Every structure is written in structure tokens, then in C-alpha cells.
């Protein structure tokens, strides 16, 4: 499952990125906050499970899915230059991603890398989650003793 979120000032960027990776996104279970999900489903004809808007708790709903182990990655195009009244919810979502080891892309460059990885995994016939989740071997090799 891939979660997609974009602040108002970044929704056009997310739509452009989603158009570029539409074939990949169409093969994934997508969830998104309210307005972002509506735009993705309407403009790109993608099936998107919509949460509430961010200020109404959508970020927290996505965070709950992460805690349940149901989200493999998050693309959250944030606008760091605009104040957001639900900033604590945003920070909580990012913290949950860090705690649970869920990759999160917060800008176009990192989102491009994440979606390219998912695209390659799908092309090679692998489970999309395996393309973005470090293996136990990889985790063991980076342990500091």
C-alpha cells in the first residue's frame, strides 16, 4: 500500500509525478488524504482509498495504517514554507514512518527515487514492498556492534 499526501501548494507537483508513474500507481493499493485522493482519482482515473483531509485527521489515519503494518511507503510532498495548523499531525506521521521503518519521500527528488524503485520492482515481477523495505541481511550488515 502506498500513501500519497500533498500540501495544497504541492498538489500540482504530485499530479505531474503521478501522471509520469501512472502505470505503476495503477498496480498498487493507494490511499491518500481527502483532497489529494479526490484529485488523483478524478484527474488520473486511479482507484484511491480516501482518508479525511489532513486538518481533519487524514494524516493520523495514514499513521494508524502504518502502525498496523499496512503501508509500505509514503509520498508526502510538503510545503515547508507555509504554516500548517495541523503541524503536530504532520510531525507525528513522519515520526511514525521513522519508528516503523517506512520510507517517506517529502520532496520531488526523493519521491522520484521511491516511485522509480517501485516501478522497477513491478517490472521485474517482485512484490513492490520488497523493493523499498530493507532485507534482514541488509539490516544486519549495517548493525553497529
Amino acid at each position: 500500500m502506498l500513501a500519497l499526501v500533498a500540501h495544497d501548494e504541492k498538489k500540482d507537483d504530485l499530479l505531474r509525478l503521478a501522471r509520469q508513474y501512472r502505470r505503476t500507481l495503477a498496480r498498487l493499493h493507494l490511499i491518500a488524504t481527502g483532497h489529494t485522493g479526490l484529485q488523483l482519482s478524478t484527474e488520473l482515473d486511479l482507484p484511491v482509498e480516501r482518508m479525511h483531509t489532513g486538518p481533519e485527521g487524514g494524516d493520523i489515519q495514514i499513521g494508524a495504517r502504518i502502525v498496523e503494518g499496512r503501508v509500505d511507503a509514503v509520498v508526502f510532498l510538503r510545503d515547508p514554507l507555509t504554516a500548517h495548523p495541523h503541524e503536530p499531525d504532520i510531525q507525528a506521521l513522519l515520526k511514525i514512518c521513522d519508528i516503523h521503518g517506512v520510507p517517506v519521500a517529502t520532496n520531488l527528488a526523493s519521491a522520484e527515487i521511491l516511485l522509480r524503485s517501485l516501478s522497477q520492482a513491478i517490472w521485474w515481477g517482485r512484490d513492490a514492498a520488497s523493493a523499498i523495505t530493507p532485507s534482514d541481511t541488509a539490516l544486519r550488515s549495517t548493525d553497529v556492534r
Side-chain angles (χ1 to χ4, degrees):
M1 183 181 299
L2 176 65
L4 300 166
V5 183
H7 284 146
D8 289 343
E9 299 79 8
K10 300 292 182 176
K11 286 192 189 332
D12 287 341
D13 290 339
L14 182 61
L15 286 171
R16 276 192 297 278
L17 187 68
R19 277 187 195 95
Q20 182 179 348
Y21 286 93
R22 191 192 178 293
R23 289 177 56 194
T24 298
L25 296 176
R27 302 205 38 200
L28 300 170
H29 181 114
L30 304 176
I31 62 171
T33 50
H35 296 127
T36 301
L38 180 62
Q39 283 187 303
L40 288 166
S41 64
T42 302
E43 295 187 31
L44 292 149
D45 194 30
L46 287 170
V48 180
E49 183 180 352
R50 289 177 51 210
M51 307 286 110
H52 289 284
T53 64
E56 294 174 345
D59 300 328
I60 293 171
Q61 287 178 300
I62 291 172
R65 296 276 180 100
I66 292 168
V67 170
E68 294 168 351
R70 296 171 59 192
V71 175
D72 300 305
V74 176
V75 172
F76 187 164
L77 298 187
R78 300 176 40 196
D79 177 18
L81 301 178
T82 302
H84 299 279
H86 62 293
E87 187 66 31
D89 298 345
I90 295 165
Q91 292 305 314
L93 175 59
L94 297 175
K95 181 178 181 177
I96 287 169
C97 288
D98 288 343
I99 290 169
H100 292 275
V102 172
V104 59
T106 59
N107 59 55
L108 277 174
S110 58
E112 175 88 22
I113 291 167
L114 182 65
L115 292 175
R116 188 176 302 149
S117 176
L118 290 171
S119 294
Q120 289 176 346
I122 290 168
W123 190 82
W124 285 101
R126 295 189 326 229
D127 180 313
S130 69
I132 54 178
T133 305
S135 68
D136 289 340
T137 304
L139 289 174
R140 280 193 300 276
S141 68
T142 60
D143 283 349
V144 178
R145 301 197 191 254

